[in-house]
mmCIF file with all atom_site columns, all heavy atoms in Angstrom:
data_model
loop_
_atom_site.group_PDB
_atom_site.id
_atom_site.type_symbol
_atom_site.label_atom_id
_atom_site.label_alt_id
_atom_site.label_comp_id
_atom_site.label_asym_id
_atom_site.label_entity_id
_atom_site.label_seq_id
_atom_site.pdbx_PDB_ins_code
_atom_site.Cartn_x
_atom_site.Cartn_y
_atom_site.Cartn_z
_atom_site.occupancy
_atom_site.B_iso_or_equiv
_atom_site.pdbx_formal_charge
_atom_site.auth_seq_id
_atom_site.auth_comp_id
_atom_site.auth_asym_id
_atom_site.auth_atom_id
_atom_site.pdbx_PDB_model_num
ATOM 1   N N   . GLN A 1 14  ? 101.045 78.787 -57.052 1.00 78.00 ? 1501 GLN A N   1
ATOM 2   C CA  . GLN A 1 14  ? 101.297 78.718 -55.615 1.00 78.00 ? 1501 GLN A CA  1
ATOM 3   C C   . GLN A 1 14  ? 102.723 79.130 -55.237 1.00 78.00 ? 1501 GLN A C   1
ATOM 4   O O   . GLN A 1 14  ? 102.939 79.736 -54.208 1.00 78.00 ? 1501 GLN A O   1
ATOM 5   C CB  . GLN A 1 14  ? 100.940 77.349 -55.047 1.00 78.00 ? 1501 GLN A CB  1
ATOM 6   C CG  . GLN A 1 14  ? 101.770 76.202 -55.538 1.00 78.00 ? 1501 GLN A CG  1
ATOM 7   C CD  . GLN A 1 14  ? 103.008 76.005 -54.747 1.00 78.00 ? 1501 GLN A CD  1
ATOM 8   O OE1 . GLN A 1 14  ? 103.069 76.467 -53.621 1.00 78.00 ? 1501 GLN A OE1 1
ATOM 9   N NE2 . GLN A 1 14  ? 103.985 75.352 -55.319 1.00 78.00 ? 1501 GLN A NE2 1
ATOM 10  N N   . GLN A 1 102 ? 91.947  75.849 -21.752 1.00 94.00 ? 1589 GLN A N   1
ATOM 11  C CA  . GLN A 1 102 ? 92.426  74.480 -21.485 1.00 94.00 ? 1589 GLN A CA  1
ATOM 12  C C   . GLN A 1 102 ? 92.645  74.307 -19.999 1.00 94.00 ? 1589 GLN A C   1
ATOM 13  O O   . GLN A 1 102 ? 93.782  74.173 -19.527 1.00 94.00 ? 1589 GLN A O   1
ATOM 14  C CB  . GLN A 1 102 ? 93.738  74.203 -22.247 1.00 94.00 ? 1589 GLN A CB  1
ATOM 15  C CG  . GLN A 1 102 ? 93.629  74.274 -23.746 1.00 94.00 ? 1589 GLN A CG  1
ATOM 16  C CD  . GLN A 1 102 ? 93.089  72.995 -24.348 1.00 94.00 ? 1589 GLN A CD  1
ATOM 17  O OE1 . GLN A 1 102 ? 92.873  72.011 -23.647 1.00 94.00 ? 1589 GLN A OE1 1
ATOM 18  N NE2 . GLN A 1 102 ? 92.842  72.995 -25.646 1.00 94.00 ? 1589 GLN A NE2 1
ATOM 19  N N   . PHE A 1 144 ? 105.965 86.620 -25.612 1.00 93.00 ? 1631 PHE A N   1
ATOM 20  C CA  . PHE A 1 144 ? 106.843 86.985 -26.715 1.00 93.00 ? 1631 PHE A CA  1
ATOM 21  C C   . PHE A 1 144 ? 107.459 85.713 -27.298 1.00 93.00 ? 1631 PHE A C   1
ATOM 22  O O   . PHE A 1 144 ? 107.689 84.749 -26.570 1.00 93.00 ? 1631 PHE A O   1
ATOM 23  C CB  . PHE A 1 144 ? 107.964 87.907 -26.240 1.00 93.00 ? 1631 PHE A CB  1
ATOM 24  C CG  . PHE A 1 144 ? 107.517 89.336 -26.084 1.00 93.00 ? 1631 PHE A CG  1
ATOM 25  C CD1 . PHE A 1 144 ? 107.317 89.869 -24.826 1.00 93.00 ? 1631 PHE A CD1 1
ATOM 26  C CD2 . PHE A 1 144 ? 107.323 90.135 -27.198 1.00 93.00 ? 1631 PHE A CD2 1
ATOM 27  C CE1 . PHE A 1 144 ? 106.910 91.184 -24.680 1.00 93.00 ? 1631 PHE A CE1 1
ATOM 28  C CE2 . PHE A 1 144 ? 106.926 91.460 -27.048 1.00 93.00 ? 1631 PHE A CE2 1
ATOM 29  C CZ  . PHE A 1 144 ? 106.726 91.983 -25.793 1.00 93.00 ? 1631 PHE A CZ  1
ATOM 30  N N   . ARG A 1 146 ? 110.539 83.661 -28.391 1.00 82.00 ? 1633 ARG A N   1
ATOM 31  C CA  . ARG A 1 146 ? 111.960 83.703 -28.063 1.00 82.00 ? 1633 ARG A CA  1
ATOM 32  C C   . ARG A 1 146 ? 112.779 83.204 -29.253 1.00 82.00 ? 1633 ARG A C   1
ATOM 33  O O   . ARG A 1 146 ? 113.854 83.699 -29.553 1.00 82.00 ? 1633 ARG A O   1
ATOM 34  C CB  . ARG A 1 146 ? 112.255 82.802 -26.853 1.00 82.00 ? 1633 ARG A CB  1
ATOM 35  C CG  . ARG A 1 146 ? 111.720 83.384 -25.552 1.00 82.00 ? 1633 ARG A CG  1
ATOM 36  C CD  . ARG A 1 146 ? 112.251 82.608 -24.355 1.00 82.00 ? 1633 ARG A CD  1
ATOM 37  N NE  . ARG A 1 146 ? 111.761 81.240 -24.351 1.00 82.00 ? 1633 ARG A NE  1
ATOM 38  C CZ  . ARG A 1 146 ? 112.553 80.169 -24.352 1.00 82.00 ? 1633 ARG A CZ  1
ATOM 39  N NH1 . ARG A 1 146 ? 113.857 80.286 -24.367 1.00 82.00 ? 1633 ARG A NH1 1
ATOM 40  N NH2 . ARG A 1 146 ? 112.024 78.960 -24.343 1.00 82.00 ? 1633 ARG A NH2 1
ATOM 41  N N   . LYS A 1 150 ? 110.636 77.342 -37.087 1.00 68.00 ? 1637 LYS A N   1
ATOM 42  C CA  . LYS A 1 150 ? 110.142 76.934 -38.399 1.00 68.00 ? 1637 LYS A CA  1
ATOM 43  C C   . LYS A 1 150 ? 109.129 77.983 -38.788 1.00 68.00 ? 1637 LYS A C   1
ATOM 44  O O   . LYS A 1 150 ? 108.295 78.354 -37.985 1.00 68.00 ? 1637 LYS A O   1
ATOM 45  C CB  . LYS A 1 150 ? 109.485 75.562 -38.260 1.00 68.00 ? 1637 LYS A CB  1
ATOM 46  C CG  . LYS A 1 150 ? 109.183 74.855 -39.558 1.00 68.00 ? 1637 LYS A CG  1
ATOM 47  C CD  . LYS A 1 150 ? 108.788 73.402 -39.289 1.00 68.00 ? 1637 LYS A CD  1
ATOM 48  C CE  . LYS A 1 150 ? 108.492 72.681 -40.590 1.00 68.00 ? 1637 LYS A CE  1
ATOM 49  N NZ  . LYS A 1 150 ? 108.063 71.304 -40.398 1.00 68.00 ? 1637 LYS A NZ  1
ATOM 50  N N   . ARG A 1 152 ? 106.968 78.836 -42.330 1.00 60.00 ? 1639 ARG A N   1
ATOM 51  C CA  . ARG A 1 152 ? 106.672 78.748 -43.750 1.00 60.00 ? 1639 ARG A CA  1
ATOM 52  C C   . ARG A 1 152 ? 105.166 78.779 -43.889 1.00 60.00 ? 1639 ARG A C   1
ATOM 53  O O   . ARG A 1 152 ? 104.447 78.589 -42.914 1.00 60.00 ? 1639 ARG A O   1
ATOM 54  C CB  . ARG A 1 152 ? 107.217 77.459 -44.350 1.00 60.00 ? 1639 ARG A CB  1
ATOM 55  C CG  . ARG A 1 152 ? 106.588 76.187 -43.732 1.00 60.00 ? 1639 ARG A CG  1
ATOM 56  C CD  . ARG A 1 152 ? 106.722 75.030 -44.677 1.00 60.00 ? 1639 ARG A CD  1
ATOM 57  N NE  . ARG A 1 152 ? 106.348 73.759 -44.081 1.00 60.00 ? 1639 ARG A NE  1
ATOM 58  C CZ  . ARG A 1 152 ? 105.099 73.309 -43.954 1.00 60.00 ? 1639 ARG A CZ  1
ATOM 59  N NH1 . ARG A 1 152 ? 104.076 74.079 -44.303 1.00 60.00 ? 1639 ARG A NH1 1
ATOM 60  N NH2 . ARG A 1 152 ? 104.847 72.128 -43.448 1.00 60.00 ? 1639 ARG A NH2 1
ATOM 61  N N   . TYR A 1 156 ? 100.560 72.073 -48.742 1.00 43.00 ? 1643 TYR A N   1
ATOM 62  C CA  . TYR A 1 156 ? 99.352  71.293 -48.754 1.00 43.00 ? 1643 TYR A CA  1
ATOM 63  C C   . TYR A 1 156 ? 99.151  70.773 -50.146 1.00 43.00 ? 1643 TYR A C   1
ATOM 64  O O   . TYR A 1 156 ? 99.103  71.532 -51.094 1.00 43.00 ? 1643 TYR A O   1
ATOM 65  C CB  . TYR A 1 156 ? 98.233  72.257 -48.370 1.00 43.00 ? 1643 TYR A CB  1
ATOM 66  C CG  . TYR A 1 156 ? 96.863  71.686 -48.320 1.00 43.00 ? 1643 TYR A CG  1
ATOM 67  C CD1 . TYR A 1 156 ? 96.380  71.130 -47.165 1.00 43.00 ? 1643 TYR A CD1 1
ATOM 68  C CD2 . TYR A 1 156 ? 96.039  71.746 -49.436 1.00 43.00 ? 1643 TYR A CD2 1
ATOM 69  C CE1 . TYR A 1 156 ? 95.110  70.639 -47.115 1.00 43.00 ? 1643 TYR A CE1 1
ATOM 70  C CE2 . TYR A 1 156 ? 94.766  71.259 -49.388 1.00 43.00 ? 1643 TYR A CE2 1
ATOM 71  C CZ  . TYR A 1 156 ? 94.304  70.706 -48.231 1.00 43.00 ? 1643 TYR A CZ  1
ATOM 72  O OH  . TYR A 1 156 ? 93.041  70.229 -48.166 1.00 43.00 ? 1643 TYR A OH  1
ATOM 73  N N   . ARG B 2 52  ? 107.550 85.534 -50.652 1.00 77.00 ? 1531 ARG B N   1
ATOM 74  C CA  . ARG B 2 52  ? 106.920 85.149 -51.903 1.00 77.00 ? 1531 ARG B CA  1
ATOM 75  C C   . ARG B 2 52  ? 105.968 86.212 -52.391 1.00 77.00 ? 1531 ARG B C   1
ATOM 76  O O   . ARG B 2 52  ? 105.627 87.134 -51.665 1.00 77.00 ? 1531 ARG B O   1
ATOM 77  C CB  . ARG B 2 52  ? 106.235 83.790 -51.829 1.00 77.00 ? 1531 ARG B CB  1
ATOM 78  C CG  . ARG B 2 52  ? 105.362 83.540 -50.657 1.00 77.00 ? 1531 ARG B CG  1
ATOM 79  C CD  . ARG B 2 52  ? 104.976 82.074 -50.556 1.00 77.00 ? 1531 ARG B CD  1
ATOM 80  N NE  . ARG B 2 52  ? 104.116 81.670 -51.649 1.00 77.00 ? 1531 ARG B NE  1
ATOM 81  C CZ  . ARG B 2 52  ? 102.851 82.025 -51.775 1.00 77.00 ? 1531 ARG B CZ  1
ATOM 82  N NH1 . ARG B 2 52  ? 102.301 82.825 -50.895 1.00 77.00 ? 1531 ARG B NH1 1
ATOM 83  N NH2 . ARG B 2 52  ? 102.139 81.589 -52.770 1.00 77.00 ? 1531 ARG B NH2 1
ATOM 84  N N   . ASN B 2 86  ? 109.352 69.685 -35.396 1.00 93.00 ? 1565 ASN B N   1
ATOM 85  C CA  . ASN B 2 86  ? 109.598 70.303 -36.703 1.00 93.00 ? 1565 ASN B CA  1
ATOM 86  C C   . ASN B 2 86  ? 109.669 69.280 -37.835 1.00 93.00 ? 1565 ASN B C   1
ATOM 87  O O   . ASN B 2 86  ? 109.457 69.621 -38.990 1.00 93.00 ? 1565 ASN B O   1
ATOM 88  C CB  . ASN B 2 86  ? 110.919 71.090 -36.677 1.00 93.00 ? 1565 ASN B CB  1
ATOM 89  C CG  . ASN B 2 86  ? 110.822 72.320 -35.805 1.00 93.00 ? 1565 ASN B CG  1
ATOM 90  O OD1 . ASN B 2 86  ? 109.730 72.707 -35.395 1.00 93.00 ? 1565 ASN B OD1 1
ATOM 91  N ND2 . ASN B 2 86  ? 111.952 72.911 -35.482 1.00 93.00 ? 1565 ASN B ND2 1
ATOM 92  N N   . PRO B 2 89  ? 105.703 67.112 -41.273 1.00 89.00 ? 1568 PRO B N   1
ATOM 93  C CA  . PRO B 2 89  ? 105.423 68.032 -42.382 1.00 89.00 ? 1568 PRO B CA  1
ATOM 94  C C   . PRO B 2 89  ? 104.180 68.886 -42.149 1.00 89.00 ? 1568 PRO B C   1
ATOM 95  O O   . PRO B 2 89  ? 104.044 69.956 -42.737 1.00 89.00 ? 1568 PRO B O   1
ATOM 96  C CB  . PRO B 2 89  ? 105.204 67.088 -43.576 1.00 89.00 ? 1568 PRO B CB  1
ATOM 97  C CG  . PRO B 2 89  ? 104.957 65.737 -42.990 1.00 89.00 ? 1568 PRO B CG  1
ATOM 98  C CD  . PRO B 2 89  ? 105.629 65.706 -41.653 1.00 89.00 ? 1568 PRO B CD  1
ATOM 99  N N   . ALA B 2 96  ? 109.214 79.207 -29.929 1.00 93.00 ? 1575 ALA B N   1
ATOM 100 C CA  . ALA B 2 96  ? 109.416 79.136 -28.478 1.00 93.00 ? 1575 ALA B CA  1
ATOM 101 C C   . ALA B 2 96  ? 108.832 80.408 -27.876 1.00 93.00 ? 1575 ALA B C   1
ATOM 102 O O   . ALA B 2 96  ? 109.076 81.507 -28.396 1.00 93.00 ? 1575 ALA B O   1
ATOM 103 C CB  . ALA B 2 96  ? 110.905 79.065 -28.172 1.00 93.00 ? 1575 ALA B CB  1
ATOM 104 N N   . ASN B 2 98  ? 107.703 82.586 -24.036 1.00 91.00 ? 1577 ASN B N   1
ATOM 105 C CA  . ASN B 2 98  ? 108.022 82.685 -22.622 1.00 91.00 ? 1577 ASN B CA  1
ATOM 106 C C   . ASN B 2 98  ? 106.807 82.373 -21.742 1.00 91.00 ? 1577 ASN B C   1
ATOM 107 O O   . ASN B 2 98  ? 106.114 83.252 -21.278 1.00 91.00 ? 1577 ASN B O   1
ATOM 108 C CB  . ASN B 2 98  ? 108.567 84.095 -22.316 1.00 91.00 ? 1577 ASN B CB  1
ATOM 109 C CG  . ASN B 2 98  ? 107.605 85.195 -22.775 1.00 91.00 ? 1577 ASN B CG  1
ATOM 110 O OD1 . ASN B 2 98  ? 106.828 84.991 -23.721 1.00 91.00 ? 1577 ASN B OD1 1
ATOM 111 N ND2 . ASN B 2 98  ? 107.629 86.327 -22.111 1.00 91.00 ? 1577 ASN B ND2 1
ATOM 112 N N   . GLU B 2 110 ? 95.530  68.258 -44.620 1.00 84.00 ? 1589 GLU B N   1
ATOM 113 C CA  . GLU B 2 110 ? 94.717  68.244 -45.840 1.00 84.00 ? 1589 GLU B CA  1
ATOM 114 C C   . GLU B 2 110 ? 93.238  68.086 -45.533 1.00 84.00 ? 1589 GLU B C   1
ATOM 115 O O   . GLU B 2 110 ? 92.400  68.582 -46.273 1.00 84.00 ? 1589 GLU B O   1
ATOM 116 C CB  . GLU B 2 110 ? 95.140  67.077 -46.730 1.00 84.00 ? 1589 GLU B CB  1
ATOM 117 C CG  . GLU B 2 110 ? 96.487  67.277 -47.387 1.00 84.00 ? 1589 GLU B CG  1
ATOM 118 C CD  . GLU B 2 110 ? 96.827  66.114 -48.302 1.00 84.00 ? 1589 GLU B CD  1
ATOM 119 O OE1 . GLU B 2 110 ? 95.921  65.405 -48.773 1.00 84.00 ? 1589 GLU B OE1 1
ATOM 120 O OE2 . GLU B 2 110 ? 98.028  65.901 -48.540 1.00 84.00 ? 1589 GLU B OE2 1
ATOM 121 N N   . ASN B 2 132 ? 95.559  71.546 -27.605 1.00 96.00 ? 1611 ASN B N   1
ATOM 122 C CA  . ASN B 2 132 ? 95.051  71.938 -28.916 1.00 96.00 ? 1611 ASN B CA  1
ATOM 123 C C   . ASN B 2 132 ? 94.109  73.126 -28.771 1.00 96.00 ? 1611 ASN B C   1
ATOM 124 O O   . ASN B 2 132 ? 93.146  73.074 -28.017 1.00 96.00 ? 1611 ASN B O   1
ATOM 125 C CB  . ASN B 2 132 ? 94.317  70.749 -29.544 1.00 96.00 ? 1611 ASN B CB  1
ATOM 126 C CG  . ASN B 2 132 ? 93.833  71.034 -30.952 1.00 96.00 ? 1611 ASN B CG  1
ATOM 127 O OD1 . ASN B 2 132 ? 94.352  71.928 -31.630 1.00 96.00 ? 1611 ASN B OD1 1
ATOM 128 N ND2 . ASN B 2 132 ? 92.826  70.296 -31.393 1.00 96.00 ? 1611 ASN B ND2 1
ATOM 129 N N   . ILE B 2 136 ? 87.948  79.277 -32.650 1.00 92.00 ? 1615 ILE B N   1
ATOM 130 C CA  . ILE B 2 136 ? 86.481  79.253 -32.495 1.00 92.00 ? 1615 ILE B CA  1
ATOM 131 C C   . ILE B 2 136 ? 85.897  80.391 -33.352 1.00 92.00 ? 1615 ILE B C   1
ATOM 132 O O   . ILE B 2 136 ? 84.968  80.185 -34.113 1.00 92.00 ? 1615 ILE B O   1
ATOM 133 C CB  . ILE B 2 136 ? 86.066  79.444 -31.017 1.00 92.00 ? 1615 ILE B CB  1
ATOM 134 C CG1 . ILE B 2 136 ? 86.586  78.260 -30.184 1.00 92.00 ? 1615 ILE B CG1 1
ATOM 135 C CG2 . ILE B 2 136 ? 84.543  79.556 -30.905 1.00 92.00 ? 1615 ILE B CG2 1
ATOM 136 C CD1 . ILE B 2 136 ? 86.374  78.432 -28.678 1.00 92.00 ? 1615 ILE B CD1 1
#
Side-chain angles (χ1 to χ4, degrees):
Chain A
Q1501 65 87 20
Q1589 298 278 355
F1631 281 105
R1633 288 190 295 122
K1637 193 169 180 182
R1639 62 157 171 82
Y1643 179 89
Chain B
R1531 48 191 292 288
N1565 292 347
N1577 55 333
E1589 288 182 23
N1611 184 22
I1615 297 173

